[in-house]
């Protein structure tokens, strides 16, 4: 009797993230995830794979946890299993995913689903990931799907020493045909010797330089042959750039924003030579329309920083977190404290005091 297994592969959700500090962006992120859950139920898939950075913080808010719990419960009631791993933004031990009803790989390295076997590894520094992969391969157990939250060195510019080429060679003897990837916010796909590597990208925009067309994928596996992949767009609020150098630019921008009726988040660069330009834009958009506003001089400085060949924002963050792991193992309070400070810097003072109090230090 032939086997079949169909699942929906969602990208990084970053639940709880408020882009530019706007509450509505947290709403947008939840709305995007809800749309994917609706799609999974409509398509009647067997499972939904969540490959990391489900939350934006290792200490998610009660709102984010309750939202995910309800989403996973909706899927469960439709007969759809939720299977997840932690990313570099998550708690690194799967506890919040389990609380929300997901199946994780912390108790067992491989899960059986409709007679197909899935393995997954929570995010960790590359050397530890390589060691975990080697242990998994040493078991010799046949696998169909692998879940990872890693930037692969031959798929992205700031990737680690782990590559798709190496993974394909390493897992090919075990039968892996699909690698469900998380971490990269743009859609990327590559096929190597019968193994498909795919990043769906984030479900919502978290940065203006990401791909704007967000999507998730349905993957259908049978006994043999390559995975059958179908792409589905995720409707999202679009981030639109506007450059206001003249009165005409201002008029066109306002007309476009009004026509889109709240479906965009304007990022507006105002030329410093336009007298009163910043105040006019601020007054016109006000508090009713979430927006990001900067002067042209600020934009130039920002662009120079982003294009500096010796500075890579994403790569720097990965390097910093790897350096933290070198000094403090993931199980230590110090490791979690530093990751908390990186992801929630506005509460740095509170987090530091809380840590020192635990250590018996009186302030």
């Amino acid at each position: 009797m032939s086997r079949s297994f169909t699942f929906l592969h969602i990208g990084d959700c970053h639940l709880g993230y408020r882009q530019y500090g706007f509450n509505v962006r947290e709403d947008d992120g939840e709305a995007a995830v809800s749309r994917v859950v609706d799609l999974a139920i409509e398509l009647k898939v067997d499972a939904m794979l969540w490959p990391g950075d489900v939350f934006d913080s290792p200490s998610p808010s009660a709102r984010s946890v309750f939202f995910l719990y309800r989403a996973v419960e909706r899927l469960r009631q439709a007969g759809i299993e939720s299977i997840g791993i932690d990313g570099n933004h998550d708690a690194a031990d799967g506890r919040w995913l389990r609380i929300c009803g997901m199946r994780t790989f912390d108790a067992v390295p491989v899960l059986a689903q409709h007679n197909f076997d899935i393995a997954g590894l929570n995010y960790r520094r590359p050397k530890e990931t390589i060691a975990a992969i080697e242990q998994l391969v040493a078991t010799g157990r046949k696998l169909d799907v692998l879940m990872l939250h890693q930037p692969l060195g031959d798929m992205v510019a700031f990737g680690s020493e782990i590559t798709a080429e190496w993974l394909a060679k390493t897992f090919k003897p075990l039968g892996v045909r699909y690698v469900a990837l998380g971490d990269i916010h743009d859609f990327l796909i590559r096929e190597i010797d019968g193994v498909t590597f795919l990043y769906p990208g984030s479900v919502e925009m978290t940065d203006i330089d990401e791909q704007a067309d967000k999507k998730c994928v349905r993957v259908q596996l049978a006994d043999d042959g390559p995975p059958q992949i179908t792409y589905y767009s995720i409707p999202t609020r679009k981030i639109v750039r506007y450059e206001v150098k003249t009165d005409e630019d201002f008029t066109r921008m306002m007309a476009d924003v009004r026509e889109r009726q709240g479906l965009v988040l304007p990022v507006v660069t105002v030329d410093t030579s336009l007298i009163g330009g910043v105040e006019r834009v601020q007054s016109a958009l006000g508090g009713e329309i979430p927006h990001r506003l900067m002067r042209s001089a600020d934009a130039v400085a920002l662009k120079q920083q982003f294009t500096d060949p010796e500075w890579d924002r994403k790569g720097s963050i990965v390097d910093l977190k790897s350096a933290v792991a070198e000094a403090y193992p993931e199980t230590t309070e110090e490791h979690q404290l530093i990751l908390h400070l990186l992801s929630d810097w506005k509460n740095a003072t509170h987090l530091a005091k809380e840590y020192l109090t635990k250590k018996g230090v009186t302030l």
Side-chain angles (χ1 to χ4, degrees):
M1 183 175 180
S2 61
R3 303 179 303 160
S4 66
F5 176 45
T6 303
F7 58 87
L8 206 66
H9 177 190
I10 190 174
D12 294 22
C13 301
H14 288 278
L15 291 172
Y17 179 64
R18 297 178 179 179
Q19 189 176 27
Y20 304 137
F22 294 122
N23 293 344
V24 71
R25 293 303 283 155
E26 183 173 7
D27 298 340
D28 290 344
E30 292 178 354
V33 173
S34 293
R35 292 183 185 110
V36 178
V37 170
D38 290 341
L39 177 65
I41 295 172
E42 177 186 339
L43 295 175
K44 299 180 180 180
V45 297
D46 300 313
M48 187 155 151
L49 305 191
W50 309 66
D53 282 2
V54 179
F55 295 109
D56 191 60
S57 166
S59 299
S61 67
R63 166 180 169 164
S64 295
V65 173
F66 188 47
F67 170 81
L68 183 63
Y69 173 84
R70 288 182 296 177
V72 171
E73 178 62 15
R74 283 182 59 209
L75 291 166
R76 187 192 67 78
Q77 291 182 0
I80 301 170
E81 193 84 63
S82 290
I83 304 173
I85 59 174
D86 274 342
N88 52 302
H89 279 254
D90 297 309
D93 60 7
R95 63 180 181 272
W96 288 114
L97 301 185
R98 289 194 298 277
I99 286 172
C100 293
M102 283 196 200
R103 296 184 71 190
T104 67
F105 300 88
D106 302 281
V108 292
V110 180
L111 300 176
Q113 194 74 14
H114 290 260
N115 295 319
F116 285 78
D117 292 328
I118 306 172
L121 297 174
N122 291 332
Y123 173 82
R124 62 200 78 189
R125 54 182 174 158
K127 290 181 181 178
E128 293 176 339
T129 298
I130 291 172
I133 286 173
E134 290 174 344
Q135 290 179 356
L136 184 61
V137 172
T139 66
R141 178 168 176 173
K142 291 292 184 180
L143 294 175
D144 298 285
V145 178
L146 173 68
M147 295 177 65
L148 284 179
H149 188 93
Q150 288 285 339
L152 300 183
D154 51 356
M155 291 187 70
V156 294
F158 49 82
S160 67
E161 57 264 43
I162 301 173
T163 66
E165 293 274 2
W166 178 76
L167 288 171
K169 180 179 178 181
T170 301
F171 280 100
K172 185 64 175 178
L174 302 187
V176 171
R177 284 178 285 161
Y178 187 84
V179 181
L181 294 163
D183 187 49
I184 304 306
H185 288 193
D186 294 335
F187 179 88
L188 294 170
I189 184 170
R190 186 177 181 189
E191 193 274 331
I192 302 174
D193 194 20
V195 182
T196 300
F197 296 82
L198 193 145
Y199 291 101
S202 56
V203 298
E204 245 287 2
M205 295 285 287
T206 64
D207 204 343
I208 195 168
D209 56 3
E210 294 175 9
Q211 290 176 358
D213 180 21
K214 298 303 181 181
K215 47 176 76 78
C216 60
V217 298
R218 179 181 65 178
V219 181
Q220 297 172 287
L221 290 178
D223 273 328
D224 52 19
Q228 301 300 307
I229 299 172
T230 308
Y231 312 103
Y232 296 89
S233 293
I234 306 173
T236 60
R237 187 190 305 268
K238 302 304 180 186
I239 299 181
V240 181
R241 296 177 186 261
Y242 299 96
E243 288 193 14
V244 177
K245 298 181 179 180
T246 65
D247 291 337
E248 290 76 14
D249 291 338
F250 173 79
T251 301
R252 280 192 294 269
M253 177 198 72
M254 290 307 303
D256 187 59
V257 170
R258 291 191 183 106
E259 183 180 350
R260 293 174 185 261
Q261 298 181 347
L263 298 178
V264 300
L265 193 159
V267 175
V268 188
T269 302
V270 180
D271 196 294
T272 51
S273 64
L274 182 64
I275 298 176
V278 171
E279 290 75 16
R280 289 177 61 189
V281 171
Q282 187 66 53
S283 176
L285 297 177
E288 296 182 3
I289 303 175
H291 62 277
R292 172 75 167 171
L293 177 63
M294 64 181 74
R295 295 171 175 82
S296 58
D298 300 331
V300 170
L302 201 60
K303 184 176 181 180
Q304 289 175 342
Q305 185 181 35
F306 283 177
T307 56
D308 183 346
E310 295 185 359
W311 186 85
D312 172 21
R313 176 177 44 187
K314 181 76 172 182
S316 296
I317 292 174
V318 171
D319 290 344
L320 180 58
K321 291 185 176 180
S322 294
V324 170
E326 289 281 358
Y328 300 104
E330 292 182 2
T331 54
T332 63
E333 292 183 29
E334 289 77 10
H335 180 94
Q336 292 301 320
L337 170 65
I338 295 173
L339 292 188
H340 283 180
L341 292 174
L342 288 172
S343 62
D344 193 13
W345 57 269
K346 290 183 179 180
N347 291 321
T349 301
H350 171 74
L351 292 170
K353 286 182 178 179
E354 189 179 65
Y355 168 77
L356 292 173
T357 299
K358 285 184 179 179
K359 293 297 182 181
V361 178
T362 303
L363 298 176

